[in-house]
Amino acid sequence: MNNIIDYVWLVPLFPLAGFLINGLLRNSLSKPLTGIVGSGVILASFVVSVLIFLQVKTGSTGTVTLFDFISYDKTSIPFAFQVDQLSSLFMLVITGIGFLIHLYSTAYMHEESDMHFARYFAYLNLFVFSMLLLVLGSNYVIMFIGWEGVGLCSYLLIGYWFKNIEYTSAAKKAFVMNRIGDLGFLLAVFWLLAKLGTVTYSEVFEKVNLLSANDITIITLLLFVGATGKSAQIPLYTWLPDAMAGPTPVSALIHAATMVTAGVYMIARSNILYTMAPVTQSVVTIIGVATALLAASIALKQNDIKKVLAYSTVSQLGYMVVGLGVGAYGGAVFHMMTHAFFKALLFLGAGSVIHAMHHEQDIRSMGGLKKHLPITHITFLMGCLAVTGIPPFSGFFSKDEILMAAISKNPIVYVLGVAGALMTTFYMYRLYAMTFLGKFRGTHEQEHHLHESPTAMTIPLIILAVLSLVGGFVGVPEVFLHNANFLKDFLAPVFEKSTALQTAHEISHSTELMLMGAATAVIIVMMIFVIKKFSKYEKTLEPSAGLGRVLENKWYVDEIYDAVITKPVNVFGKLLEKFDKYGVDWVVNGVGRTVQYASRQVRLLQSGQVGSYVLLMVIGMILFFALQIFAKK
């Protein structure tokens, strides 16, 4: 096996096999066997991904064509996989974190029946397969197949407990909102086909100069519409917090390893198009900043442990989008990677808390869990330190790279980014303090049964905590150590053309150190203040007022969407239904009834009585002669 890249098809094949085995044999497989198959196939994919990564690291890349997928006229779209620095990194994240989430699920979902347990793992395997297809495809069509696959899997897994109407509504909401974004993606693909006759990345990027500036702007904007759906940006972000209806490991998979990273990957893959579209870059930056701030402000007043983390994800995705908008594609991918570590950790930690609290998710009814869940506590705290950018945790390095790129383009973006980081500090340590510190505020029965999670759940927490701590050292900035940003060097070939077109706006090391130090100091002061304040939290039934109430209700965005879009569409739909029922149906049925009536009347002529026939014949002859006479005159 000299060239492992030739066997890249094994990476998505293993999860597909797991999906088929667990899906088709769900009535006969035991839980242990289901867990072994479901987790084992992802581990196998991870092993192959590591081998491929090691080969790519030496500079070896390539495209593996499996068969001719679509062929018409002079256009050919192959079913091919592209292995390069970007896809190999995403493969590691998807399969590595995906495996830990599968392992965690074997314990977390143990209360399910054998059949539903197998159904759950089949969906998880299909989710990973779809995401791998998305990042491995060598053209936009294969990417779109994976794109739709993750959309379908999110629908199936968010609505996994399908007997709960609220959960199925959340699944439908995710499905519909993503379809809106998908329309933009599809239009961009058709636009590329019409203008260039190809959708293969290498050919598109070679022929990009044949496109006019307007074409590039429209194509990138349409692609970005797709990204706002998958990566939960304004205005299509509201499905993600509601996606918490699914099992907690599913939330970890969606937020860390699969779906929400799709939009970031797509823009990073299309980096040369975006670099040549300054208008689109401005739009992307504005949307990213607005999303980061809006979601962070909402998270300040949420009390559901998973909802806080969900809005945190939306906010962090906003940072990644800002990075893409200012041309720091490597920084965005870096933050995607570190975010995958600490957000998977935080969601699985939240699952461990919910597991111990017997499905309680309101942090106002928790507190004092530190002594009962020691492993969960320390790993969750490490996740908080990482997401808030406390050095030397991973989030510090990746977020700093984006903010430094932002200040070189526009200082206002930097200031807003720091404001978002402060809000992140507030809501994350409020969550931590209200959950793990102070006095327990739950029931006596809950307190009596508090316990640390089983090993299958704590091992993934420990591994992810270590990654959250050390993961940032692959991208140490120049200001600390010369030539130590290994990830930037590794990804450089993917962004080579974009880098050549961009004008460097580097700030001095002294300025960078000053900004970094000031931001870190403010964040640490905020962290200490919040922990001190909320570790003494006492449960109260008094409702929030003023801005607090607005934030609790998520700026009423769902209500506004409901009033401006959902209700008018429903009214219009009912009008169409009535038009169909009393208009179209009346005309169609009326024609049918008229024909039936006429047929019944004509049928009377066929009475079988000879006298009637002779009479009709005589009448006919008289009429005929009468016509002849009048016609001659």
Side-chain angles (χ1 to χ4, degrees), residues 330-481:
V333 173
F334 185 20
H335 198 52
M336 181 284 302
M337 185 190 79
T338 60
H339 177 264
F341 297 153
F342 55 70
K343 193 49 61 72
L345 168 62
L346 290 167
F347 264 110
L348 296 186
S352 183
V353 169
I354 295 167
H355 182 261
M357 291 288 297
H358 290 267
H359 307 293
E360 176 63 72
Q361 295 186 195
D362 192 329
I363 57 176
R364 292 171 296 186
S365 300
M366 298 181 185
L369 299 185
K370 177 182 174 181
K371 61 182 178 182
H372 300 287
L373 288 76
I375 297 176
T376 302
H377 163 252
I378 192 65
T379 53
F380 196 92
L381 177 59
M382 291 173 75
C384 292
L385 293 167
V387 71
T388 51
I390 302 295
F393 286 85
S394 57
F396 167 74
F397 295 105
S398 57
K399 199 178 288 185
D400 176 71
E401 189 167 328
I402 290 174
L403 291 177
M404 287 304 121
I407 197 172
S408 64
K409 288 289 181 72
N410 190 334
I412 296 174
V413 176
Y414 173 81
V415 172
L416 294 175
V418 172
L422 281 176
M423 285 195 279
T424 304
T425 305
F426 185 92
Y427 67 70
M428 283 309 303
Y429 292 106
R430 171 179 176 267
L431 172 66
Y432 164 73
M434 289 177 67
T435 304
F436 292 100
L437 305 182
K439 296 178 182 177
F440 185 72
R441 297 180 295 274
T443 64
H444 289 297
E445 186 180 353
Q446 287 174 328
E447 189 172 17
H448 182 69
H449 290 96
L450 284 175
H451 59 280
E452 184 56 274
S453 296
T455 308
M457 291 171 66
T458 53
I459 286 177
L461 293 179
I462 295 169
I463 294 173
L464 288 167
V466 173
L467 289 172
S468 299
L469 173 61
V470 303
F473 287 100
V474 298
V476 178
E478 190 74 16
V479 68
F480 289 132
L481 198 60

Side-chain angles (χ1 to χ4, degrees), residues 120 177 232 237 256 285 352 377 461 477 506 529 545 564 572 576 612:
Y120 170 80
M177 296 203 83
Y237 73 94
T285 305
S352 183
H377 163 252
L461 293 179
E506 293 184 0
F529 165 75
V564 175
F572 183 63
L576 288 178
S612 299

